[in-house]
């Protein structure tokens, strides 16, 4: 059986799909959602989301947001999302190295540590998704 997933970003509706399962990283860890799941609102972390559509798994890098599960489906409100084939792995690897270097130089008075940590999380989400 399938349920509807609406994926919304600040740019509007990214995608609307009928899926048999959704595995996504919440602030408390990964959760798998199936049809008939109890109502839930959850904060989403940076990480990989797997959506099973017509028996095939599709992988997405998500970059924070919220999930609302209701009787009629799931709404994902995301800061941003990238499907696996949209990810530039070379760029993600370079971003990972830059973020690591910035974090290692935490004594730099010009360093925005929060920004560096978010860049690290984005790069890791992209790499993990690409390698799925």
């Amino acid at each position: 059986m399938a349920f509807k997933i609406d994926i919304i970003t600040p740019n509007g509706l990214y995608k609307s799909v009928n899926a048999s399962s959704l595995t996504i990283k919440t602030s408390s860890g990964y959760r798998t959602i199936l049809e008939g799941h109890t109502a839930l609102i959850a904060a989403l972390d940076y990480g990989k989301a797997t959506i099973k559509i017509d028996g095939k798994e599709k992988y997405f890098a998500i970059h924070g947001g919220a999930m609302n599960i209701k009787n009629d489906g799931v709404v994902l409100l995301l800061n941003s999302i990238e499907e696996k084939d949209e990810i530039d792995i070379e760029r993600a690897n370079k971003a990972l190295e830059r973020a690591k270097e910035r974090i290692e130089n935490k004594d730099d008075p010009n360093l925005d540590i929060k920004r560096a940590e978010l860049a690290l999380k984005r790069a890791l989400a992209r790499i993990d998704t690409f390698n799925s």
Side-chain angles (χ1 to χ4, degrees), residues 1-63:
M1 295 303 242
F3 59 96
K4 184 177 179 186
I5 302 174
D6 289 324
I7 304 170
I8 301 167
T9 70
N11 296 325
L13 181 66
Y14 171 80
K15 197 172 278 217
S16 184
V17 298
N18 288 315
S20 57
S21 71
L22 164 67
T23 300
I24 196 162
K25 189 173 184 185
T26 70
S27 59
S28 61
Y30 277 94
R31 289 189 180 253
T32 297
I33 311 304
L34 303 171
E35 184 179 32
H37 195 287
T38 188
L40 173 73
I41 294 176
L44 299 174
D45 201 351
Y46 290 64
K48 177 175 61 176
T50 306
I51 302 175
K52 195 169 197 175
I53 304 167
D54 296 327
K56 296 181 182 176
E57 291 184 336
K58 294 194 175 237
Y59 303 99
F60 300 85
I62 63 164
H63 309 294

